Amino acid sequence: MRPIVQISLDLTNIDEALETAAMALRAGVDWLEAGTPLILAEGLHGVRALRNAFPNTPIVADLKTMDGGYLEAEMMAKAGATHVVVMSQAHEETIHCVVKAGADYGIKVMGDNLAAPDMVAAAKWLEDLGCDFVIHHIGYDERRGIVAKGGRQPSPMDQLREVVQAVSIPVQAVGGLTLEQAVATPSYGAPLVVLGAPLTVDADAFKTADGDLESSLRLICEKVHGYGDVPVGQ
């Protein structure tokens, strides 16, 4: 699979999301993500605004669905999303419902293994239930809480190779990665590179970071796309 660069629009108003998205696409980003903060703040309006502004760009709606799977996926598909996210910790039937909606509305399903007791097994389970992609995810609160208690911050890199080897669908690693780690994930067999905090947004304030992001993003995209095709399901 050709490596994909996805930018997470973890912002809380449509205008800033549209501005950031336009900048990212100029720099070579492939996919836009309507991040959870944007969906909470603007809902379907945010997804529709992105679709209207960028009619040909894939849009991931980071719903983190735990219940009501068919309806949530259906609503986002009708608003213009091409990908939706369901959690591995949801009931099996919820995942089935999201996958069914994906088939009915022509969108892809990304299964997120956040907080799974066994991250590798959860990734495989998501694939078995029909998800098209796996998001290997260490949560924001989880990372900060462990560090606050004096522990070592966990990283998706800790088990990324094992997750990639366990499934035959594309994997994305998310959660506290440094820029260098994120850009390197295709070398682990994970071709979906997501860029968010801390590169493009401030993790605590959820606002666009200062600085010349467009030039930085262009270099990042060139690096990621330079990997060429990444074998999936090693």
Side-chain angles (χ1 to χ4, degrees), residues 142-164:
E142 177 184 356
R143 300 191 312 269
R144 290 169 66 91
I146 289 172
V147 170
K149 294 174 183 176
R152 170 192 170 273
Q153 177 169 300
S155 168
M157 306 301 280
D158 296 339
Q159 291 187 290
L160 181 56
R161 289 194 190 278
E162 290 88 338
V163 169
V164 167

Side-chain angles (χ1 to χ4, degrees), residues 194-213:
V194 62
L195 304 174
L199 172 69
T200 53
V201 299
D202 178 81
D204 295 308
F206 295 109
K207 62 183 180 181
T208 302
D210 294 328
D212 184 7
L213 288 179

